[in-house]
Amino acid sequence: RAKAAGKGRHVIFDSSMQVDTLARLELENDLRAAIDGGQLRVHYQPIVPLKSERVTEVEALVRWQHPTQGMISPLDFIPLAEETGLIIPLGLWVLKEACRQAAIWHAQFPIDPPVVISVNLSPRQFQMPDLAEEVERTLQEAGLPARYLKLEITEGTIMLDVEATISTLSRLKAIGIKLAVDDFGTGYSSLAYLKRLPLDVLKIDRSFIKGIAENAEDKAIVQAILLLAKSLNLEVTAEGIENAEQAAMLNSWQCERGQGYYFARPMEADKATALLGRLGLSPLPRVA
Ligand code: C2E
Ligand code: MG
Ligand code: MG
Ligand code: MG
């Protein structure tokens, strides 16, 4: 807004900026209280192999149940958490909660193999010097074998410091954790580096999936990513599948897995528990 005041004028703040700053400060304080005060929730969104449509994996997605503002989307507080450093306690809480829940599901349901839990890591979390130790301790406390945890990082996180990324990913890999690149295609990761990283999965960003049925460029991009993944020996999960046509196209292109509203929206733990209990090994009843 200071910019809109025009060239050559040194506007430090106007009243609307002040409100923004105050609102931000309030939000930051609220978020701090939310982490300790039990206002965070984890929702779970199923991920399915496109061939079977059975739930083999769920992504943990944080939500904030604000006392007066209702449910707040992570898009509205993760950036603030990242800026302020609150992402560290917040992220550890999500990781603990997700691992705890996954261990309960494993004990409760005789699905073979057990469901994998996928957890997002922000750039700052990924740069924690003791990340691998924290993750290992969390797994031990939850009683969850490492092979049932997948961690998602973005291309931006990878490229912050490639040598450090390689070393951190290698440590996580040594524990037995699966590693995924989230929102693939939207960042600027170098293909030369991708080859050197001990990754398991590329998650194609939903902005490319959206247009595959109508748009030749989107189709070409997605097919190119599938080819790249194959040659790098990586599996692929397509994000944001919203209809049958997209699911069928991706399946015909040998894309392994899909995630999106067509299969299921993110849901509360209770609902996910009911779903896993009901489904066992049967395919997901899709919601259109
Ligand atoms: P993401 O990791 O790429 O997660 C997928 C997002 O896409 C989720 O949004 C999910 O609800 C949404 N989505 C899934 N299927 C569809 C679909 O078919 N159509 C559309 N339009 N959207 C779909 P959500 O839950 O709002 O999360 C947004 C982002 O916030 C996540 O994107 C992730 O980057 C971040 N985030 C969420 N939870 C955490 C967390 O615990 N830690 C960190 N560091 N980031 C998180
Ligand atoms: Mg993700
Ligand atoms: Mg994603
Ligand atoms: Mg995305």
Side-chain angles (χ1 to χ4, degrees):
R1 286 190 187 86
K3 245 188 189 160
K7 272 186 193 153
R9 289 187 57 192
H10 297 274
V11 179
I12 294 166
F13 64 81
D14 61 20
S15 57
S16 63
M17 273 177 75
Q18 193 178 16
V19 170
D20 283 356
T21 308
L22 286 175
R24 255 179 75 88
L25 262 178
E26 197 175 304
L27 192 68
E28 185 184 336
N29 285 331
D30 281 6
L31 182 56
R32 205 179 294 273
I35 297 168
D36 303 327
Q39 294 169 21
L40 297 180
R41 303 280 179 274
V42 180
H43 284 192
Y44 299 90
Q45 185 178 31
I47 295 172
V48 301
L50 291 174
K51 286 203 190 318
S52 70
E53 298 189 358
R54 290 166 180 164
V55 183
T56 55
E57 189 175 332
V58 290
E59 179 170 2
L61 296 159
V62 72
R63 271 99 184 88
W64 176 5
Q65 185 63 59
H66 192 280
T68 56
Q69 294 180 44
M71 196 72 95
I72 305 183
S73 152
L75 299 172
D76 294 326
F77 64 89
I78 292 286
L80 177 73
E82 181 72 7
E83 255 174 66
T84 55
L86 286 171
I87 193 71
I88 300 297
L90 187 158
L92 284 174
W93 181 83
V94 172
L95 181 69
K96 284 202 172 89
E97 181 58 20
C99 289
R100 189 190 67 82
Q101 183 61 69
I104 291 174
W105 285 332
H106 289 190
Q108 219 172 351
F109 306 124
I111 304 173
D112 186 31
V115 74
V116 168
I117 186 91
S118 203
V119 177
N120 295 284
L121 290 186
S122 74
R124 212 152 155 172
Q125 270 183 289
F126 187 73
Q127 291 187 306
M128 279 168 62
D130 55 349
L131 174 68
E133 287 76 18
E134 285 282 3
V135 171
E136 200 169 17
R137 192 176 320 130
T138 303
L139 287 168
Q140 267 160 14
E141 278 170 18
L144 185 72
R147 64 183 178 282
Y148 302 125
L149 174 64
K150 188 176 282 181
L151 294 174
E152 302 186 2
I153 59 172
T154 62
E155 293 171 273
T157 302
I158 288 174
M159 296 306 292
L160 282 174
D161 177 349
V162 175
E163 293 311 318
T165 296
I166 293 173
S167 126
T168 303
L169 288 179
S170 304
R171 285 162 76 194
L172 292 168
K173 193 76 199 168
I175 299 171
I177 292 157
K178 305 266 190 314
L179 302 166
V181 183
D182 204 355
D183 306 340
F184 187 76
T186 59
Y188 301 90
S189 60
S190 137
L191 300 184
Y193 288 135
L194 270 189
K195 187 181 72 174
R196 295 178 53 204
L197 303 174
L199 298 165
D200 300 286
V201 182
L202 297 183
K203 295 188 77 174
I204 305 180
D205 191 70
R206 71 164 186 268
S207 57
F208 302 111
I209 303 302
K210 206 173 156 61
I212 53 169
E214 306 85 24
N215 182 304
E217 281 87 27
D218 284 342
K219 179 176 165 179
I221 290 169
V222 169
Q223 289 183 323
I225 295 175
L226 286 164
L227 235 117
L228 170 76
K230 195 167 196 175
S231 55
L232 292 175
N233 215 1
L234 299 170
E235 294 174 4
V236 172
T237 298
E239 301 188 277
I241 298 179
E242 294 190 350
N243 59 54
E245 194 177 12
Q246 293 165 344
M249 287 181 93
L250 288 158
N251 186 31
S252 75
W253 301 337
Q254 318 303 323
C255 175
E256 281 92 358
R257 274 182 305 269
Q259 173 178 8
Y261 294 169
Y262 174 60
F263 300 110
R265 289 183 179 251
M267 61 189 92
E268 290 166 24
D270 282 2
K271 290 223 173 86
T273 301
L275 185 78
L276 290 171
R278 192 156 46 79
L279 290 181
L281 280 171
S282 50
L284 192 66
R286 292 160 317 207
V287 285

